[in-house]
Amino acid sequence: MAGYMRLRQICLVAPQLEPVISDIAGIMGLNVCYRDGNVAKYGLENALLPVDTILLEVVAPFQPGTAAGRFIEKTGGRGGYMAIFCCDDPDERGKHANAMGVRTANVITHAPYHGVQLHPRDCRAAFIEFNHTAGSDDVLGPYPPAGPDWQRSIRKDVTQALTGVEMQSPDPQGLAEHWGKIIGVAASKNARGEPELNLPNCSFRFVKGASDLMSGLTFRVADIAKVRDAAKARGCAMSGDGFELCGVMFRLAA
């Protein structure tokens, strides 16, 4: 399938926005750029933080019966909620997924933004969304879900980039091939022999796990020890090269 494909956002879910947003901002040195009132119609509130040109979003339900609330109940709060990709033709991408048996869950149009969300049960592990903002193929251009001036909130003194997404599955090769077919990126192997999908601005690696879920995010940071100390001071569970926050592992790399 022709056209560009980049990771635009990772969306996590929490029972309440606080203290999660304060913890992410304080530990990772990120700024909140926007809180989108449009998600209220889904019974949600949110906050977005730019990590260079990729947005990290956290949503939280404020009423019963939401999809995000059901996700928390089903997973016990483990796992990322949504992977959001920008491309030139989200409708065409959606039709391609539909032909694979992956249903469309929601179509969002707030001109100049247009997005197609795919059913998480069919995607396995998490929602997938394809979106496009008319007149903005620039990674630093307008992006309405992140507010009118999201670019001004970018900080790089602590966290410089979101470079990787870790997906786990009892069948990591199968999940990698499934996601690869949906987003139009062929699965390959990384240096450790793990299935991987490489996009221009981020990679998805697939590891063995008990269930299908988005299990971790990898960030390039200026000072790993300093970020680890900040996470420990806020009471995060530490593990290996990272710490747990909002249901996923935040992995740190220099």
Side-chain angles (χ1 to χ4, degrees), residues 12 23 25 27 29-30 52 68-69 90 99 103 115 129 137 141 173 203 240 242 247:
L12 307 177
D23 285 345
I27 295 168
L30 302 173
D52 194 8
R103 294 165 290 173
E129 177 185 309
D137 293 335
Q173 182 67 40
S203 64

Side-chain angles (χ1 to χ4, degrees), residues 5-10 51-55 83-85 139 161-167 179 183 185-186 188 196-206 214 216-220:
M5 172 68 65
R6 295 191 299 267
L7 182 65
R8 178 83 270 190
Q9 279 179 239
I10 289 293
V51 186
D52 194 8
T53 58
I54 295 175
L55 280 301
I84 300 174
F85 302 90
V139 293
L162 196 170
T163 60
V165 179
E166 178 189 276
M167 310 290 291
W179 272 53
I183 68 175
V185 175
S188 58
E196 187 175 57
L197 301 177
N198 284 306
L199 281 77
N201 64 341
C202 189
S203 64
F204 284 64
R205 71 183 183 99
F206 296 77
M214 184 192 298
L217 305 172
T218 299
F219 300 87
R220 186 173 67 246

Side-chain angles (χ1 to χ4, degrees), residues 33-34 142-152:
C33 64
Y34 194 53
Y143 185 59
D149 52 3
W150 67 274
Q151 305 91 334
R152 296 182 182 178

Side-chain angles (χ1 to χ4, degrees), residues 54-93:
I54 295 175
L55 280 301
L56 183 59
E57 177 184 14
V58 180
V59 298
F62 63 77
Q63 65 186 38
T66 67
R70 291 191 293 273
F71 176 87
I72 293 172
E73 293 170 3
K74 178 182 176 183
T75 65
R78 293 193 63 232
Y81 188 54
M82 188 177 295
I84 300 174
F85 302 90
C86 60
C87 60
D88 50 355
D89 190 345
D91 289 324
E92 193 64 29
R93 300 275 179 178

